[in-house]
């Protein structure tokens, strides 16, 4: 590590920001808003579709417009945070997200709704990396960092399930428009708190000129990738546009890597992703999110269609998973983070989650919530919470301050792309298994009730087939975490300033090569 980088990293550690814990409250609030927005709108979608006259063919754009803008612009958003300063990017992101939410809540037609969702994605892409990189540069003491990232990891993991509960409540008892309007008070409180409380450490900005070719190639490449998976879900994997999107994405992202290796001030310095610990974290987190997002989708449908739960009851059914995530992240992860190596939390964490997923392969129409779903969700939450916490912390640890924004953006990008892949891939597997089951069994169903029973059995068969794949994906994520992530525990009193950590940071890239 260069002498300049060492000074930049150790300087903030000498005098921790006195307002850092207050700042954490507002950063966590903003993160919760962005994460729950990914699922809160799903619950409200049927009502919004009816009110605004959105066709069945176009309704996916309520979700897709957000995913494309958010996933495509994350790296650009992270770089802007490094250029402007994280506090400014954070406050601007919050203001824009609130305005876009107000527009969505007031939508009178489908074009206005799609535009609002795309704008939410744009400002979310600025806000999410700024939030994570603020934590990375404000919390430098190893034990404090563990606690801060424990809270952040719990929110990042559990926010989606909170969105299901809140979305159910707002849609059932108020109106679908409140799933958008609810963001406004969140954003105002977080922005006001950030403005008065957050004090960003000096010397952390990256004032290099913006890498315009990198911005264009990465944005188009990620948009093509996310859209390819989204389209595959509705039009199939052999659809010409789907295949074209994947080919275009591969070409654009390969060109992006080539450009980044040549330019003086790259959008994504390759040193950020080629370091084996960070590379392992981005890969294992992306895989874990593939499994998680597919599961959210299946369990929501299973509980509402097969078991007949209301939206609110469905939301509450996810509470054990949230409780497990909070426990795994803030209790297990935080307490062990400074005592054991991160891979010894991440690997076993993903395996515990895989065990929970394995239980869900036993789903049947008449499965008991208390006997099967409850323990499975607890295991999933505990495992994911324990694994997420060190992953979030290590992904930005030891990064030069000028790269904190793009390193944070890569965490969000791996999650966003993982979510898009998970929803499309596992849904396709489930749909194929369901179709095959109906074809094999429908001939023997003579009455209408028997045919309905076959349809429900086929649906559950589809879910369990896809969940088997999710089990395998989590096992691979655990193997990657145990193999690639070789950083030692954060010893000493401050991250990147004690001799032990300095040795770790100099040593890790050497091992990678």
């Amino acid at each position: 590590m260069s002498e300049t980088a060492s000074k930049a990293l150790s300087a903030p550690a000498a005098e921790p920001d006195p307002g850092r814990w207050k700042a954490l409250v507002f950063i966590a609030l903003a993160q919760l808003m962005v994460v729950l927005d990914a699922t809160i709108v799903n619950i409200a979608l049927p009502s919004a579709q009816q009110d605004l006259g959105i066709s069945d063919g176009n309704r996916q754009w309520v979700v897709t417009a957000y995913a494309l803008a958010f996933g495509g612009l994350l790296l650009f958003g992270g770089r802007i945070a490094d250029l402007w300063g994280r506090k400014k990017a954070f406050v601007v992101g919050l203001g824009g997200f609130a305005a876009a939410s107000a527009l969505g809540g007031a939508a009178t037609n489908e074009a206005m709704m799609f535009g609002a969702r795309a704008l939410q994605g744009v400002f979310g892409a600025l806000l999410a990396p700024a939030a994570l990189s603020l934590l990375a540069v404000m919390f430098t003491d190893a034990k404090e960092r563990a606690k801060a990232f424990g809270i952040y990891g719990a929110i990042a993991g559990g926010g989606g399930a909170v969105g299901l509960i809140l979305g159910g409540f707002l849609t059932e008892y108020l109106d679908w428009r409140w799933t958008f309007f609810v963001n406004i008070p969140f954003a105002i409180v977080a922005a006001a708190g950030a403005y008065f409380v957050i004090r960003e450490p000096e010397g952390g900005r990256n004032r290099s000129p913006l890498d315009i070719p990198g911005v264009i190639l990465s944005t188009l490449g990620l948009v093509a990738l996310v859209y390819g998976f989204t389209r595959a879900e509705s039009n199939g994997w052999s659809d010409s546009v789907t295949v074209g999107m994947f080919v275009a994405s591969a070409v654009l992202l390969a060109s992006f890597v080539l450009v980044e290796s040549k330019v003086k001030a790259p959008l994504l310095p390759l040193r950020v992703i080629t370091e084996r610990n960070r590379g392992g974290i981005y890969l294992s987190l992306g895989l874990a999110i593939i499994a998680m997002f597919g599961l959210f989708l299946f369990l929501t449908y299973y509980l509402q269609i097969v078991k007949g739960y209301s939206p609110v009851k469905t939301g509450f059914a996810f509470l054990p998973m949230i409780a497990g995530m909070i426990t795994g992240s803030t209790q297990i992860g935080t307490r062990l983070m400074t005592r054991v190596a991160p891979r010894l939390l991440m690997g076993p964490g993903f395996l515990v989650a895989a065990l929970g997923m394995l239980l869900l392969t036993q789903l049947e129409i008449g499965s008991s919530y208390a006997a099967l779903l409850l323990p499975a969700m607890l295991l999933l939450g505990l495992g994911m919470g324990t694994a997420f916490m060190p992953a979030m912390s290590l992904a930005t640890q030891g990064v030069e301050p000028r790269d904190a924004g793009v390193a944070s953006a890569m965490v969000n990008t791996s999650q966003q792309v993982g979510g898009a892949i998970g929803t499309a891939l596992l849904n396709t597997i489930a749909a194929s298994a369901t179709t095959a089951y109906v074809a094999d069994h429908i001939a023997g169903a003579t009455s209408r009730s028997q045919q309905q029973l076959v349809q429900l059995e086929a649906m559950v068969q589809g879910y369990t087939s896809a969940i088997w794949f999710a089990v395998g994906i989590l096992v691979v994520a655990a193997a990657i975490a145990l193999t690639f992530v070789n950083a030692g525990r954060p010893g000493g009193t401050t991250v990147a300033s004690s001799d032990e950590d300095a040795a770790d940071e100099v040593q890790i890239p050497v091992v990678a090569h």
Side-chain angles (χ1 to χ4, degrees):
M1 188 186 291
S2 69
E3 190 180 339
T4 314
S6 284
K7 283 179 183 174
L9 280 168
S10 56
E15 286 182 40
D17 184 346
R20 61 196 179 282
W21 290 108
K22 288 180 188 172
L24 174 62
V25 173
F26 301 112
I27 292 169
L29 189 64
Q31 175 65 12
L32 177 63
M33 182 183 74
V34 172
V35 173
L36 66 80
D37 200 74
T39 51
I40 194 172
V41 175
N42 289 358
I43 296 276
L45 187 52
S47 307
Q49 182 185 353
Q50 194 175 353
D51 270 12
L52 300 177
I54 302 173
S55 68
D56 283 349
N58 283 344
R59 71 179 173 191
Q60 64 157 350
W61 283 101
V62 176
V63 176
T64 306
Y66 179 81
L68 290 180
F70 190 56
L73 292 168
L74 270 165
L75 280 175
F76 182 44
R79 180 67 180 84
I80 290 292
D82 286 336
L83 186 67
W84 286 359
R86 284 127 209 141
K87 178 177 173 176
K88 185 178 179 182
F90 184 73
V91 173
V92 170
L94 280 166
F97 200 90
S101 298
L103 190 67
T108 53
N109 54 49
E110 62 178 38
M112 194 170 167
M113 170 60 78
F114 299 156
R117 288 292 282 161
L119 269 178
Q120 277 187 313
V122 169
F123 286 105
L126 181 63
L127 175 61
L132 184 56
S133 55
L134 273 171
L135 280 192
V137 297
M138 290 178 81
F139 286 89
T140 50
D141 177 84
K143 287 186 178 176
E144 287 192 352
R145 186 182 175 95
K147 284 181 190 171
F149 276 91
I151 294 164
Y152 188 89
I155 289 169
V162 173
L164 293 171
I165 297 172
L166 194 55
F169 254 107
L170 294 172
T171 305
E172 203 164 314
Y173 297 116
L174 288 171
D175 186 68
W176 66 265
R177 295 181 185 276
W178 281 97
T179 59
F180 287 90
F181 291 144
V182 74
N183 289 329
I184 298 169
F186 271 104
I188 290 171
V189 172
Y195 185 79
F196 291 110
V197 172
I198 291 177
R199 185 169 60 83
E200 195 177 345
E202 294 295 322
R205 289 197 193 180
N206 185 345
R207 300 185 188 276
S208 307
L210 201 56
D211 168 23
I212 301 297
V215 169
I216 295 168
L217 289 169
S218 69
T219 302
L220 292 177
L222 287 169
V223 163
L225 183 64
V226 173
Y227 184 58
F229 277 105
T230 308
R231 189 176 172 89
E233 187 186 352
S234 53
N235 294 65
W237 296 91
S238 57
D239 173 67
S240 58
V241 178
T242 303
V243 174
M245 282 293 157
F246 286 135
V247 171
S249 172
V251 171
L252 287 163
L253 292 176
S255 305
F256 170 66
V257 172
L258 186 66
V259 166
E260 298 309 273
S261 66
K262 305 286 185 190
V263 296
K264 283 185 179 177
L267 172 71
L268 175 64
L270 295 181
R271 62 180 174 268
V272 171
I273 53 172
T274 52
E275 196 272 297
R276 69 180 289 165
N277 287 280
R278 277 191 289 279
I281 281 166
Y282 299 146
L283 200 53
S284 60
L285 263 186
L287 287 169
I289 292 290
I290 288 175
M292 281 295 286
F293 264 64
L295 182 76
F296 274 152
L297 186 74
F298 298 143
L299 282 186
T300 303
Y301 277 114
Y302 174 78
L303 292 168
Q304 289 195 25
I305 296 172
V306 179
K307 304 295 276 187
Y309 283 24
S310 69
V312 170
K313 193 176 178 184
T314 301
F316 274 106
F318 280 95
L319 273 178
M321 192 186 291
I322 301 174
M325 280 183 177
I326 292 170
T327 305
S329 196
T330 62
Q331 298 304 311
I332 301 170
T334 301
R335 289 171 192 275
L336 295 180
M337 179 71 182
T338 53
R339 298 177 190 177
V340 300
R343 68 191 177 94
L344 298 180
L345 287 173
M346 289 179 66
F350 288 137
L351 289 175
V352 168
L355 184 61
M357 201 76 85
L358 190 63
L359 285 180
L360 290 173
T361 60
Q362 306 306 306
L363 267 186
E364 293 174 357
I365 289 178
S367 292
S368 159
Y369 177 83
L372 182 67
L373 274 81
L374 178 65
M377 285 195 191
L378 277 172
L379 285 170
L380 269 162
L382 275 171
M384 287 296 196
T386 303
F388 268 45
M389 186 261 148
M392 292 284 183
S393 177
L394 194 61
T396 51
Q397 187 175 313
V399 178
E400 295 181 32
R402 66 198 171 109
D403 294 335
V406 287
S408 303
M410 274 303 298
V411 176
N412 287 286
T413 302
S414 67
Q415 290 178 301
Q416 190 63 26
V417 172
I421 294 171
T423 306
L425 180 65
L426 295 180
N427 211 28
T428 307
I429 293 165
S432 302
T434 297
T435 306
Y437 188 92
V438 170
D440 289 345
H441 295 80
I442 200 71
T446 51
S447 67
R448 184 175 173 80
S449 61
Q450 284 177 325
Q451 288 172 351
Q452 286 176 334
L453 184 63
V454 167
Q455 293 284 357
L456 287 177
E457 285 172 344
M459 201 180 287
V460 176
Q461 179 69 28
Y463 299 157
T464 54
S465 299
I467 289 169
W468 271 111
F469 275 86
V471 172
I473 290 167
L474 282 172
V475 171
V476 172
I480 289 169
L482 288 167
T483 309
F484 280 76
V485 180
N486 68 345
R489 65 182 179 82
T493 53
T494 52
V495 172
S497 63
S498 70
D499 293 338
E500 185 180 337
D501 285 317
D504 273 345
E505 283 187 49
V506 173
Q507 186 181 340
I508 290 163
V510 175
V511 178
H513 299 293

